[in-house]
Amino acid sequence: MIGSLMHSSLLRRGDGPAVTGADGRSLDGATLHAAAARLAAALRAQGAGPGHTVAIALPQNVEQVVALAAVVYSGADFALIDLDAPPARAARFLDVLRPSCLVLDTDAPGGHQEELARTATAVVPVRTAYGPGAGDIPFEPSFTPGGYCVQTSGTTGEPKVLRVDGAALENRLRWGQGAYPLGPDDVLLSTSRPSFDFYVWEVTAALCFGPRLVLTTAFEAASAETLLGRCEDEGATAVHFFPRMLDEFSDLAASSGGCPGLRRVFSGGAPLSGATLAKARAALPNATVLNQYGPAECCIDVSWLVCGEEHERCSTVPVGRPVDRTTLTVVDSALRPVPTGVVGEILIGGIAARTTRVLAGEVPGRFVPTDVTAGEVAYRSGDFGRLDEDGLLHWVGRQDNEFKIHGARVDLAEVTAAVRGVGGVTDCHVYPTGAADGGITLGAVVESSEVTAAACRSRLAAVLPLYMVPTVLRVVERLPRTAKLEIDVPRLTEECGLRPLPPRQPSAPAGAAGTPAARRAGWAAVRPVSLPEERLIGMRRIPGRPPHLMVANHLVIRGALDLPRLTTALRELVARHSILRTTYAELDGRVVAVVHEGPADDVVEVRPLNGVLDDRAAAEHVQRALRDEEKRFSDPDRQSMMRAVVYRRAPELFSLLLIFDHIAVDERSKAMLQEELALLYQGDGHKLGPAVPYDPARIRGDFPPAREVPVLLAALDPLPPRVLPSPDPVADPAAFRAGSHEFDLLGDRRHEIDGLVRRLRCTRFELLLASFFRAMKQFADEDDILVVAPADTRGTVEDFETVGFFQNLVPLRSRTPADADPWRLVDDCKQAVRAALGHRDHPVALLTEEFRDPAVTAARRNPIWQIVFVPTAMQVDANWALEGLEVADVPLHLTETGLELMAEVSDTAAGLKAAFRYALGAMEAHDAERLAVLWTRSLEWALDEVAATAAG
């Protein structure tokens, strides 16, 4: 029992020091026990004991420790009142508790003693502990373990008041003593405030197990320099820091060489970064750093980790394994366990979750019985996490920091980072608030003495989309802080009159009475990226290049479209294929794929476009909408790789904007999706077999250096000349805005192409590529031309049944003079194609890494990347079909290009269709027109030359 532990520990200590106050006053073990026994007797005389609560409204000094020990001796629950908190907050805490007794320093001047005293049945002055004969009172501590009450931040707009059971506290204390024992030779420096539950451990562990407790003031705890001095002066061996303070403390310790006696450093209350851990371990080489995690609802901590060198490489250090008699399970929205590596909500079970009671500010659905805990009550933490293969829990984030503004997802963390990045801003608080139109907008309070609200907003508009720029912005010289040095949001809200939106409630378990099943996915699996994914992600990170490449279709649908059926079919399409539910993120310094459980809420949207009957006008509207959708696809935290927007133009006239991220689909994949959508819409989804998941493990991952492959070495060394201007996308962001030119190749002579291919003994692709090479040689007045072309890298039966991106770019080079005959040009091209296809799975990213022009900077492109030659399949886009409806594909143009020139050619039933998409900084419209003429003339020249030779 906790009382018995304290009793025996203090008596064993005798005249040895037990507690030292911030003012330098100390009490030995025997004196502290005698004072606590005397005060406990007075409390019992006023009716305090098991089942009752005693509030302690004392400054953070030795008397507060005496009072806490006295309450524990009596068997009652203790509640520490933070006298630094606003009086209204303390009054509300007491009003909820209605304590049997209130311990006060009635001799203290000023304060709000009378207001606090009104809430208690009886007031016991703390001086009672020091009355005459205190040490002579025989006293036996209660065998009923008392708990404690704590007030913490709530998500209901009011503080939450909790009662943590004594059995849970005793479990936490005994476990901690077994995990990191403390004894009489230890000095525990307390840095926490009474409002923070770790202070409960600091005081009770010191009283139960023998270390000397050293108290600090709020001022001292907020200064790393002062804490360093106290550690050195008191010979501290154990101390707790919030990560932000640990970072500052480590910097000072490293520069001063201080604190060699520190043996244990506890971190908790916020995520610990690998960088801060590395600082701490280097600056405090004799100390073991322990990272801990736990909500106040579950008795101080529920997990712990002894941090090692390997954790320094983590972006966020794991929070470890559960403490004794505690379970940690990562679950989905239906409270089902998810696999290892999958992100979900952290569900806490065990003695603390089972016995904690919420006295005020309860959020429905947080404490729930679950199958995971065999029907016992567990606590839904509202935190996201994942378990790694070693069983360590990783904290990922909170559920409730995302909002939608004008249909676009906004994460407050992103906006906060942007505001903090404004010169002159030292910190800020960003919050969602109501807009005049009934929607959501953002507000911000900025800490700065240098910048005005208008200047801050102007600078933010340069780095954020307008919908993410706070419309309500206020500048203050200093933001209020909590004891954890975090922004005191309730106080700031009150002082500045903020009007934040009420927090969202957590979703109830699927199937609960009266609650709909959660629509949004509750977990996400993490997997390695494949080589094609890695290549495209690498391309998107080149400075100045678009962060996405979309494949878009505008489908005009005529007929009696069943909108609910189409919406369901599109969502089922996304649900079938994991790649369409995949996004990408950085985890511990590497890019990983995050596969979400189900389609996002906004994967399909229906919008009115009433009365727009003209297809050209509708196409212009959809083209503009596509530009807006680019912003959505730029959001790294989106949940889907597909997006569908249905425009209702008339009762039987619709436009469907269907967008895929190119990283998720290639031409073959699109053809598969067309067939599946048609079946799903007509209700025949049962005819589809299970979808084959996109598995990067099936794609080869071991490649020799490109310079060891003779064919690649011959093709790329030396590098070809740069035949098009390479604009600087950083200095000129508009340089890669796209221009386009579409034209027919050969026109009326298209029927002659088959004969030409037979005579030259080549494929149609090789002929078209050879003629394009000749046109580029004439255009650039350069015989050495290199292009890259997409090649399918599917290598297994499963690959051919999988929706995903399986393309790699292969380098094709021609150095034959432009005036060579058609046979020589085509033979040169055939050799290049065959050599490239032999190594089509060799990642082009490795090629560009090994064959690098020393003159190339971050803003100037390697010549390998200048031109891409793409044989498209427009007939695929013509295959969109829905039962009983007329569906026509209307071409769309993306607004940005990733390279200087993309040449597309499609061999259709109507003839050869070609298009140039070019960067406006590399080519102009008349350049594209001239190149188109040269390409057409090259094909005509080949036809005439071969025909003349055959006739001769």
Side-chain angles (χ1 to χ4, degrees):
M1 301 304 173
I2 301 174
S4 298
L5 285 174
M6 287 186 184
H7 181 265
S8 59
S9 175
L10 291 174
L11 289 180
R12 281 196 308 270
R13 208 169 318 180
D15 58 2
V19 58
T20 300
D23 57 2
R25 293 174 55 222
S26 293
L27 289 180
D28 59 43
T31 303
L32 197 158
H33 162 70
R38 177 85 175 185
L39 186 57
L43 292 172
R44 281 188 177 174
Q46 295 293 338
H52 295 266
T53 301
V54 175
I56 303 171
L58 295 170
Q60 211 164 347
N61 55 24
V62 294
E63 280 75 27
Q64 187 192 60
V65 177
V66 169
L68 188 148
V71 178
V72 172
Y73 279 1
S74 74
D77 298 337
F78 64 86
L80 296 170
I81 307 302
D82 188 354
L83 297 182
D84 292 328
R89 187 177 179 88
R92 183 186 181 279
F93 188 19
L94 288 169
D95 189 55
V96 171
L97 295 178
R98 289 295 168 182
S100 299
C101 296
L102 176 64
V103 180
L104 288 173
D105 183 359
T106 53
D107 298 328
H112 43 280
Q113 310 277 357
E114 293 183 3
E115 295 178 17
L116 298 179
R118 293 193 192 102
T119 63
T121 304
V123 173
V124 177
V126 70
R127 65 172 179 270
T128 306
Y130 302 102
D136 301 326
I137 295 179
F139 189 87
E140 288 293 331
S142 171
F143 285 94
T144 301
Y148 65 93
C149 297
V150 64
Q151 182 174 234
T152 185
S153 297
T155 58
T156 62
E158 293 287 344
K160 183 186 294 185
V161 178
L162 307 166
R163 180 195 180 267
V164 178
D165 193 75
L169 177 57
E170 182 177 354
N171 175 74
R172 171 63 181 81
L173 289 169
R174 292 186 183 276
W175 166 83
Q177 186 63 5
Y180 34 81
L182 298 172
D185 60 338
D186 281 299
V187 177
L188 176 58
L189 182 71
S190 170
T191 61
S192 303
R193 299 302 94 203
S195 56
F196 184 53
D197 61 350
F198 200 80
Y199 183 65
V200 171
W201 177 83
E202 289 174 333
V203 177
T204 54
L207 293 175
C208 288
F209 304 119
R212 179 166 66 95
L213 176 67
V214 177
L215 300 174
T216 59
T217 65
F219 175 80
E220 289 175 325
S223 167
E225 186 175 1
T226 304
L227 287 179
L228 180 62
R230 290 298 303 271
C231 280
E232 293 172 342
D233 294 343
E234 302 289 350
T237 62
V239 63
H240 173 273
F241 293 114
F242 300 107
R244 178 173 172 177
M245 180 58 74
L246 177 58
D247 194 87
E248 296 180 20
F249 185 93
S250 299
D251 284 337
L252 290 173
S255 61
S256 67
C259 295
L262 269 182
R263 297 197 292 264
R264 294 185 182 89
V265 173
F266 301 94
S267 177
L272 175 64
S273 71
T276 295
L277 173 62
K279 276 187 186 182
R281 295 185 73 247
L284 307 168
N286 299 328
T288 298
V289 181
L290 300 108
N291 192 30
Q292 297 178 299
Y293 158 79
E297 288 83 353
C298 295
C299 192
I300 308 170
D301 301 307
V302 295
S303 74
W304 74 303
L305 175 75
V306 178
C307 300
E309 182 180 359
E310 67 275 16
H311 302 123
E312 296 176 6
R313 297 185 289 273
C314 300
S315 56
T316 301
V317 177
V319 293
R321 305 181 191 280
V323 305
D324 285 353
R325 301 176 70 186
T326 301
T327 63
L328 298 173
T329 312
V330 181
V331 297
D332 61 16
S333 58
L335 303 187
R336 300 167 301 193
V338 299
T340 298
V342 171
V343 175
E345 186 178 1
I346 300 172
L347 183 74
I348 303 170
I351 184 171
R354 186 174 65 247
T355 58
T356 294
R357 297 293 178 266
V358 181
L359 305 180
E362 182 172 9
V363 178
R366 284 293 197 196
F367 288 91
V368 291
T370 70
D371 293 339
V372 173
T373 51
E376 289 189 345
V377 170
Y379 177 64
R380 298 184 64 186
S381 67
D383 291 328
F384 280 133
R386 63 179 178 87
L387 291 170
D388 64 21
E389 294 179 353
D390 296 324
L392 297 180
L393 179 65
H394 293 248
W395 186 89
V396 175
R398 285 290 300 170
Q399 279 184 337
D400 46 14
N401 65 340
E402 292 180 355
F403 300 86
K404 290 289 186 68
I405 297 179
H406 302 316
R409 183 178 301 167
V410 175
D411 190 313
L412 295 185
E414 180 183 357
V415 183
T416 300
V419 178
R420 287 174 177 162
V422 173
V425 172
T426 54
D427 207 348
C428 68
H429 169 61
V430 179
Y431 59 96
T433 187
D437 60 1
I440 297 176
T441 187
L442 294 182
V445 182
V446 174
E447 184 180 82
S448 176
S449 59
E450 303 175 17
V451 69
T452 65
C456 183
R457 192 177 292 111
S458 176
R459 294 176 198 175
L460 289 174
V463 296
L464 291 174
L466 287 179
Y467 65 84
M468 293 178 68
V469 176
T471 57
V472 181
L473 198 147
R474 179 172 178 175
V475 178
V476 297
E477 288 191 2
R478 187 171 299 278
L479 292 168
R481 301 277 174 181
T482 67
K484 294 168 61 176
L485 302 184
E486 296 176 343
I487 297 171
D488 190 337
V489 176
R491 183 176 162 194
L492 177 65
T493 302
E494 181 179 354
E495 290 179 353
C496 294
L498 308 184
R499 296 173 178 263
L501 290 179
R504 294 167 292 177
Q505 305 300 320
S507 57
T515 60
R519 294 173 56 210
R520 182 175 171 83
W523 57 261
V526 177
R527 65 163 173 80
V529 294
S530 69
L531 285 168
E533 290 172 310
E534 191 176 59
R535 179 182 64 77
L536 281 183
I537 293 168
M539 288 177 61
R540 296 170 185 199
R541 293 184 171 185
I542 297 173
R545 294 302 189 271
H548 54 268
L549 182 60
M550 299 187 302
V551 178
N553 289 93
H554 172 199
L555 306 179
V556 175
I557 304 172
R558 289 179 166 84
L561 175 66
D562 188 332
L563 265 178
R565 192 149 53 112
L566 176 62
T567 299
T568 300
L570 288 165
R571 292 184 64 83
E572 288 177 350
L573 194 68
V574 176
R576 276 180 54 79
H577 298 286
S578 61
I579 192 66
L580 298 182
R581 295 179 273 109
T582 299
T583 54
Y584 302 90
E586 285 221 8
L587 183 64
D588 298 337
R590 59 190 177 93
V591 177
V592 295
V594 182
V595 185
H596 299 271
E597 180 187 24
D601 290 341
D602 60 354
V603 71
V604 184
E605 183 179 350
V606 179
R607 298 177 181 172
L609 194 59
N610 299 327
V612 182
L613 304 181
D614 179 66
D615 284 346
R616 178 175 296 181
E620 292 175 354
H621 180 91
V622 172
Q623 184 72 53
R624 289 193 299 272
L626 178 61
R627 289 196 291 270
D628 294 334
E629 291 296 325
E630 289 177 1
K631 299 175 185 176
R632 185 184 300 269
F633 271 69
S634 296
D635 180 0
D637 200 32
R638 69 187 189 277
Q639 191 173 315
S640 290
M641 286 288 165
M642 190 195 93
R643 165 96 166 141
V645 183
V646 185
Y647 293 92
R648 186 188 287 116
R649 297 162 54 188
E652 294 194 357
L653 179 61
F654 303 84
S655 281
L656 170 60
L657 176 58
L658 194 57
I659 312 164
F660 300 94
D661 192 307
H662 195 23
I663 205 169
V665 297
D666 50 24
E667 289 296 319
R668 179 177 180 83
S669 297
K670 188 189 282 190
M672 294 171 61
L673 293 173
Q674 288 173 334
E675 179 182 355
E676 292 186 9
L677 180 61
L679 287 172
L680 290 169
Y681 178 75
Q682 67 190 36
D684 289 334
H686 60 279
K687 296 180 180 179
L688 298 170
V692 180
Y694 184 80
D695 182 6
R698 292 200 305 264
I699 304 174
R700 181 183 169 194
D702 55 327
F703 293 90
R707 290 187 179 275
E708 296 179 7
V709 182
V711 172
L712 295 175
L713 187 64
L716 296 172
D717 197 2
L719 284 173
R722 197 175 284 110
V723 297
L724 292 173
S726 293
D728 185 338
V730 176
D732 183 9
F736 280 81
R737 299 296 290 177
S740 64
H741 178 63
E742 299 177 1
F743 55 98
D744 291 335
L745 275 174
L746 285 181
D748 294 337
R749 300 186 64 182
R750 63 182 183 273
H751 60 280
E752 301 179 46
I753 196 79
D754 290 334
L756 183 60
V757 166
R758 286 194 300 271
R759 292 189 181 99
L760 292 174
R761 297 183 179 181
C762 64
T763 65
R764 296 168 79 87
F765 171 73
E766 290 164 346
L767 172 63
L768 294 170
L769 178 61
S771 61
F772 177 75
F773 269 138
R774 184 173 187 268
M776 276 302 307
K777 293 170 191 284
Q778 294 173 334
F779 176 83
D781 195 21
E782 173 60 60
D783 287 333
D784 189 355
I785 301 293
L786 183 142
V787 303
V788 288
D792 197 307
T793 60
R794 287 175 169 85
T796 67
V797 174
E798 290 87 355
D799 290 345
F800 282 92
E801 298 295 326
T802 302
V803 170
F805 187 83
F806 287 86
Q807 290 186 336
N808 186 36
L809 291 178
V810 296
L812 303 170
R813 189 172 187 176
S814 172
R815 284 178 269 202
T816 302
D819 58 0
D821 60 55
W823 288 270
R824 186 177 172 194
L825 284 169
V826 169
D827 283 344
D828 180 45
C829 189
K830 286 164 62 176
Q831 292 178 19
V833 170
R834 283 155 177 70
L837 291 179
H839 300 278
R840 64 183 179 179
D841 55 351
H842 199 110
V844 71
L846 297 182
L847 303 183
T848 54
E849 185 64 30
E850 291 193 49
F851 298 96
R852 182 178 296 279
D853 185 343
V856 171
T857 66
R860 296 183 65 206
R861 293 292 286 277
N862 190 308
I864 295 176
W865 287 102
Q866 282 214 316
I867 307 170
V868 61
F869 184 83
V870 182
T872 64
M874 289 185 181
Q875 63 270 25
V876 171
D877 287 334
N879 288 341
W880 293 103
L882 297 172
E883 182 184 34
L885 301 168
E886 178 187 339
V887 181
D889 180 74
V890 178
L892 284 168
H893 305 301
L894 298 182
T895 59
E896 289 183 288
T897 178
L899 292 89
E900 282 77 355
L901 173 63
M902 179 167 64
E904 298 178 342
V905 60
S906 186
D907 194 0
T908 72
L912 291 171
K913 305 291 184 181
F916 293 143
R917 317 290 180 202
Y918 54 89
L920 292 174
M923 296 182 68
E924 297 182 8
H926 66 85
D927 295 320
E929 292 169 3
R930 175 170 169 257
L931 183 57
V933 171
L934 290 173
W935 193 1
T936 300
R937 288 178 180 173
S938 290
L939 275 172
E940 292 173 342
W941 166 80
L943 286 170
D944 294 341
E945 285 290 308
V946 172
T949 301

